[in-house]
């Protein structure tokens, strides 16, 4: 019997998308650095990469973050 158990973080019914294994997992089986989530449903976790792409595109085309020079508002001049 182990004295110290490896504790996972999360609640039953939470879904994650593992970036390393490229699969959906219920509960956090992999380290936080390797996963997206938690998601409320398996379906949401299955769409994790699509959601990330959509959010990246929204950010890249957000006029509040890009001016005519193409620099972000907080970018410093060199």
């Amino acid at each position: 019997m182990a004295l110290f158990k490896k504790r996972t973080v999360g609640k039953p019914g939470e879904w994650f998308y593992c970036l390393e294994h490229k699969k959906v997992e219920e509960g956090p089986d992999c380290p936080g650095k390797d996963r997206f989530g938690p998601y409320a449903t398996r379906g949401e976790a299955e769409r994790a990469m699509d959601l990330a792409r959509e959010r990246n595109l929204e950010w890249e085309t957000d006029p509040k973050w890009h001016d005519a020079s193409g620099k972000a508002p907080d970018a410093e001049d060199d």
Side-chain angles (χ1 to χ4, degrees):
M1 184 170 148
L3 293 176
F4 300 100
K5 292 183 181 180
K6 182 180 175 184
R7 297 197 51 158
T8 58
V9 178
K11 301 173 188 160
E14 288 182 330
W15 294 90
F16 297 85
Y17 181 81
C18 176
L19 299 166
E20 185 171 330
H21 300 111
K22 305 207 181 343
K23 67 175 189 162
V24 174
E25 303 171 342
E26 184 175 14
D29 291 337
C30 294
K33 67 180 181 68
D34 294 331
R35 67 178 190 250
F36 285 159
Y39 296 94
T41 66
R42 180 180 187 87
E44 288 178 11
E46 289 172 348
R47 290 197 61 238
M49 295 305 295
D50 292 331
L51 291 170
R53 270 191 287 287
E54 289 169 12
R55 290 175 182 161
N56 285 343
L57 183 61
E58 285 176 18
W59 180 83
E60 290 169 0
T61 58
D62 186 343
K64 293 184 290 187
W65 288 100
H66 299 282
D67 62 9
S69 69
K71 292 183 179 179
D74 293 336
E76 295 180 18
D77 292 330
D78 290 328

